[in-house]
Amino acid sequence: ETGVTQTPRHLVMGMTNKKSLKCEQHLGHNAMYWYKQSAKKPLELMFVYSLEERVENNSVPSRFSPECPNSSHLFLHLHTLQPEDSALYLCASSLGQGYSNTEAFFGQGTRLTVV
Amino acid sequence: GENVEQHPSTLSVQEGDSAVIKCTYSDSASNYFPWYKQELGKRPQLIIDIRSNVGEKKDQRIAVTLNKTAKHFSLHITETQPEDSAVYFCAAMEYSTLTFGKGTMLLVSP
């Protein structure tokens, strides 16, 4: 257990559904990340939040909407997804640059299937 | 933004051989370079990291080297074992953004 928890672990949704992925950490980290992992592009950075502010949006389609209400929680809201969005979505957290220990810890991921 | 290139994509070695994985990065502002190991069905986990003020770091059978001028860094695994088989990712951190390479699948045959 790394201290980063993601729910749900598995999700099957239709293209017209709306769902949310949740990530939670109580490690005192101030940076949180969403990554998409698929066969085509392993560990593709989607969003970065530092101190609850979005600092990176890596050209992600608007059907993915992140939310960071506080430094311990990160959400990824999903709507009108496409089958090619099926992948493993990984959340990670770290202390961010400038700290002596910058290790990023990953959650176990949410396996998303869009049908 | 940062761009990290990683080679090779697949590496097969015999048990006991050494394995080397190489990465390059584009942004000179990056100053932290971790390596992650991901076993099948599991989350990526940190195995070693290096900061830009250090040229080399070693931890038992694993070592990492960094050439800031050339913007490249490498992972070296000596005396490989079957349990080293996994996907290895390099990464570069610029401010709080952590960008990964595309990964190297290492296969160690007994």
Side-chain angles (χ1 to χ4, degrees):
Chain A
E1 185 58 54
T2 62
V4 181
T5 304
Q6 286 186 245
T7 54
R9 294 288 305 279
H10 300 274
L11 178 62
V12 179
M13 59 185 289
M15 289 190 284
T16 58
N17 290 162
K18 288 185 179 181
K19 296 285 184 182
S20 295
L21 309 184
K22 180 181 177 182
C23 178
E24 186 172 352
Q25 60 91 8
H26 296 287
L27 300 170
H29 290 168
N30 55 26
M32 295 188 77
Y33 312 82
W34 279 118
Y35 289 91
K36 176 183 178 182
Q37 187 169 40
S38 61
K40 288 185 177 181
K41 289 186 179 181
L43 284 177
E44 181 182 5
L45 179 64
M46 299 176 73
F47 300 103
V48 180
Y49 275 83
S50 178
L51 298 172
E52 300 155 43
E53 279 194 35
R54 190 191 308 181
V55 297
E56 183 79 23
N57 175 357
N58 212 19
S59 302
V60 180
S62 59
R63 58 185 182 269
F64 295 91
S65 175
E67 179 190 1
C68 188
N70 55 62
S71 59
S72 298
H73 295 86
L74 183 67
F75 295 89
L76 187 63
H77 304 299
L78 316 170
H79 65 97
T80 59
L81 294 192
Q82 303 298 312
E84 60 264 29
D85 297 322
S86 298
L88 180 68
Y89 289 84
L90 285 161
C91 171
S93 71
S94 78
L95 278 173
Q97 198 178 54
Y99 290 87
S100 59
N101 182 3
T102 326
E103 178 179 355
F105 292 87
F106 283 86
Q108 290 188 308
T110 295
R111 174 68 64 185
L112 174 67
T113 304
V114 181
V115 297
Chain B
E2 178 63 273
N3 182 46
V4 178
E5 299 284 341
Q6 182 172 349
H7 299 280
S9 56
T10 306
L11 179 59
S12 294
V13 301
Q14 291 291 121
E15 183 177 1
D17 287 350
S18 295
V20 180
I21 302 170
K22 298 183 178 182
C23 289
T24 60
Y25 61 100
S26 60
D27 197 324
S28 56
S30 292
N31 67 359
Y32 173 67
F33 306 93
W35 286 87
Y36 282 78
K37 176 183 180 181
Q38 187 175 26
E39 297 176 341
L40 190 62
K42 297 188 177 180
R43 72 190 87 191
Q45 292 194 293
L46 181 75
I47 55 170
I48 195 168
D49 55 14
I50 192 167
R51 295 191 174 276
S52 58
N53 58 348
V54 176
E56 184 173 356
K57 184 176 178 181
K58 190 173 182 180
D59 182 5
Q60 298 182 334
R61 297 187 295 110
I62 296 173
V64 58
T65 58
L66 171 65
N67 183 327
K68 273 198 309 180
T69 304
K71 295 199 188 85
H72 65 70
F73 55 114
S74 301
L75 177 71
H76 304 254
I77 306 174
T78 58
E79 300 172 30
T80 53
Q81 300 167 4
E83 51 265 38
D84 293 331
S85 296
V87 179
Y88 291 80
F89 293 95
C90 63
M93 179 175 274
E94 171 200 12
Y95 304 106
S96 291
T97 299
L98 188 61
T99 303
F100 285 84
K102 291 189 176 180
T104 296
M105 179 175 290
L106 174 64
L107 301 170
V108 181
S109 303

